Amino acid sequence: SVDGRLREQLSALPEGRLLSLLNVKYVIADKVHDVWVDNVYYDLGNTALLGPEASTWRSDDLSPFPAGAVGIVSYLTEAANLPDGAPIAVVTVTGQDGRTSSFTLRAGTDSAEGEFKTARHKQARVVSAWRDNPQGKNYYTRLSWRDTIIPRSIEVRYIANSGQLALRGLSLIDDRTGVGQALVVSG
């Protein structure tokens, strides 16, 4: 039965612009559809869609957390024509000391078509099904750099000519302890 929680009636949160217009300061949400991957938590409450028109997601509001890797939960849409290994996005992590590490996400390795029926690329590592469509899948990749740093910013820039990348969740990971810190993904 419906319990009155608005989140149970919505498949996604409204855009930040609409929330600001309604003077919403905080959104309290459950963790029912979030995931744990390799003992690290990923908040899947929001999604940022990146594509040829809106190509960049960036987070500069990181709390100090020593990390040697970042885990990413995502999926592709309208990208079934991308061949296996095609570059889809560049992830750049900048440390507080100014050092940067850049990684290229690839179709079939790091992410894949969400509603995977037939695609020119393989499926990446599946970690969960979509909330309202069990045919849709979320995929996982882990990007590691050489030394443990305290990241100042993370940027994901879409570089493919077609399709979209849906960023579902990101977590910084301290390789020394296996502890993670989930980041808020927002469009």
Side-chain angles (χ1 to χ4, degrees), residues 93-108:
V93 180
T94 303
Q96 287 184 349
D97 60 2
R99 291 185 292 167
T100 63
S101 295
S102 292
F103 306 88
T104 301
L105 298 182
R106 299 190 179 278

Side-chain angles (χ1 to χ4, degrees), residues 33-56:
H33 299 286
D34 297 342
V35 296
W36 287 82
V37 181
D38 300 333
N39 295 319
V40 175
Y41 170 74
Y42 292 84
D43 181 350
L44 304 186
N46 298 312
T47 301
L49 280 176
L50 304 179
E53 283 84 45
S55 64
T56 304

Side-chain angles (χ1 to χ4, degrees):
S1 67
V2 177
D3 63 8
R5 291 187 302 171
L6 183 59
R7 180 72 169 138
E8 299 300 322
Q9 306 301 315
L10 301 173
S11 61
L13 290 175
E15 292 182 34
R17 181 178 50 85
L18 179 59
L19 293 174
S20 293
L21 182 65
L22 296 171
N23 202 26
V24 174
K25 189 170 182 179
Y26 300 102
V27 175
I28 299 171
D30 58 32
K31 298 180 179 199
V32 173
H33 299 286
D34 297 342
V35 296
W36 287 82
V37 181
D38 300 333
N39 295 319
V40 175
Y41 170 74
Y42 292 84
D43 181 350
L44 304 186
N46 298 312
T47 301
L49 280 176
L50 304 179
E53 283 84 45
S55 64
T56 304
W57 174 87
R58 183 178 176 93
S59 180
D60 293 313
D61 188 23
L62 304 177
S63 58
F65 182 83
V70 62
I72 301 173
V73 177
S74 67
Y75 65 87
L76 294 169
T77 61
E78 301 171 13
N81 63 334
L82 292 176
D84 204 41
I88 51 177
V90 173
V91 178
T92 304
V93 180
T94 303
Q96 287 184 349
D97 60 2
R99 291 185 292 167
T100 63
S101 295
S102 292
F103 306 88
T104 301
L105 298 182
R106 299 190 179 278
T109 304
D110 302 301
S111 194
E113 187 69 23
E115 291 190 66
F116 198 91
K117 295 177 183 128
T118 57
R120 292 182 58 201
H121 56 266
K122 298 174 190 164
Q123 273 192 301
R125 180 180 172 191
V126 176
V127 292
S128 66
W130 295 348
R131 174 182 173 178
D132 298 325
N133 178 358
Q135 301 302 317
K137 306 294 184 215
N138 293 312
Y139 302 95
Y140 175 77
T141 193
R142 178 185 172 121
L143 310 172
S144 298
W145 44 89
R146 190 196 305 186
D147 299 317
T148 299
I149 63 169
I150 297 177
R152 179 179 67 210
S153 67
I154 295 180
E155 179 181 276
V156 181
R157 186 172 44 88
Y158 194 75
I159 59 172
N161 294 330
S162 62
Q164 292 183 316
L165 174 67
L167 285 178
R168 298 295 320 278
L170 282 89
S171 285
L172 295 172
I173 303 166
D174 185 342
D175 285 327
R176 302 166 304 172
T177 62
V179 174
Q181 179 181 35
L183 304 179
V184 175
V185 175
S186 175

